[in-house]
Amino acid sequence: EADGPYLVWAPEHTEQGDPRGELMSLQLFEKQAALAPAQLEQLRLLQSKHRDRLLGAIAPAVVNAVFERGVAVHVELGRDWGGPQPGAAEWAAVRGVTLPEQHYGAEWPRLLAALPSLRTVMRATPDLLTALHALSPGLTLEHVLLEESWNPPQALALPITHLATRDLALAGLLRTHEGKSVTLEASD
């Protein structure tokens, strides 16, 4: 995605007193050159002080967030997440989610399937991924970290391009999707 629109939006947001403008400016500058220590501290303070305003309608569901160009692109969700709130445009930019460490409900695949830009799922279970794929067969996840080992009775075919797991025995259980190979990596 091009930075051009963000270069226009950043000053507009800043003029309106929206901290997102300053965050966008700092993050765009950071892409071009290393930020000075004072700028890095300013970036950190902006994100912590204005967290709820930057997250908007999704703030109650989010434990932690990674921002790029002033918008949340990866979020860690709390156990009580109820799915994308209707009309919450903030979900549109979220490409990655980290699921709670505790078990989550059966409705989560449906809720995740509603995220339009989803490409990364961390702490997933194979059952969740299977259900997610059934709901969104066209979805290709670029990176998945499995929470647990899995010993299924049959192979699992999922559209994943990169899988990190603690159990590399999964290598024999995952088939390629449409001729694309799956990269397996051990996680800590």
Side-chain angles (χ1 to χ4, degrees):
E1 188 176 351
D3 290 336
Y6 295 92
L7 293 169
V8 173
W9 296 333
E12 290 176 3
H13 282 281
T14 302
E15 288 171 12
Q16 296 170 7
D18 184 346
R20 186 178 315 279
E22 188 176 358
L23 182 60
M24 279 185 214
S25 295
L26 284 168
Q27 289 182 321
L28 289 167
F29 182 73
E30 185 179 34
K31 286 176 68 175
Q32 304 300 319
L35 293 178
Q39 291 171 312
L40 288 171
E41 180 62 14
Q42 183 180 7
L43 187 63
R44 188 192 66 72
L45 286 173
L46 272 170
Q47 292 176 15
S48 65
K49 181 178 179 183
H50 300 288
R51 174 200 178 277
D52 287 354
R53 186 166 180 189
L54 293 168
L55 290 170
I58 69 174
V62 174
V63 176
N64 290 308
V66 174
F67 293 89
E68 287 179 10
R69 300 181 190 141
V71 296
V73 294
H74 190 103
V75 297
E76 180 179 354
L77 299 172
R79 284 191 301 133
D80 298 330
W81 180 53
Q85 295 77 2
E90 294 87 353
W91 287 115
V94 175
R95 297 187 309 259
V97 296
T98 298
L99 301 174
E101 290 185 34
Q102 310 295 324
H103 289 283
Y104 30 84
E107 74 281 3
W108 281 63
R110 179 183 53 77
L111 302 174
L112 291 171
L115 298 179
S117 301
L118 185 65
R119 295 293 175 262
T120 300
V121 179
M122 308 299 281
R123 295 188 193 139
T125 62
D127 290 341
L128 178 133
L129 294 173
T130 300
L132 180 59
H133 180 59
L135 291 167
S136 298
L139 174 66
T140 297
L141 296 174
E142 296 170 359
H143 187 91
V144 171
L145 173 64
L146 290 178
E147 177 63 31
E148 58 191 44
S149 296
W150 182 51
N151 295 309
Q154 61 188 28
L156 172 66
L158 291 172
I160 299 170
T161 57
H162 185 94
L163 175 70
T165 179
R166 293 181 182 95
D167 183 3
L168 288 182
L170 284 172
L173 301 172
L174 287 167
R175 296 189 303 240
T176 60
H177 178 73
E178 296 176 1
K180 298 176 185 167
S181 63
V182 176
T183 304
L184 289 170
E185 164 187 306
S187 67
D188 297 329

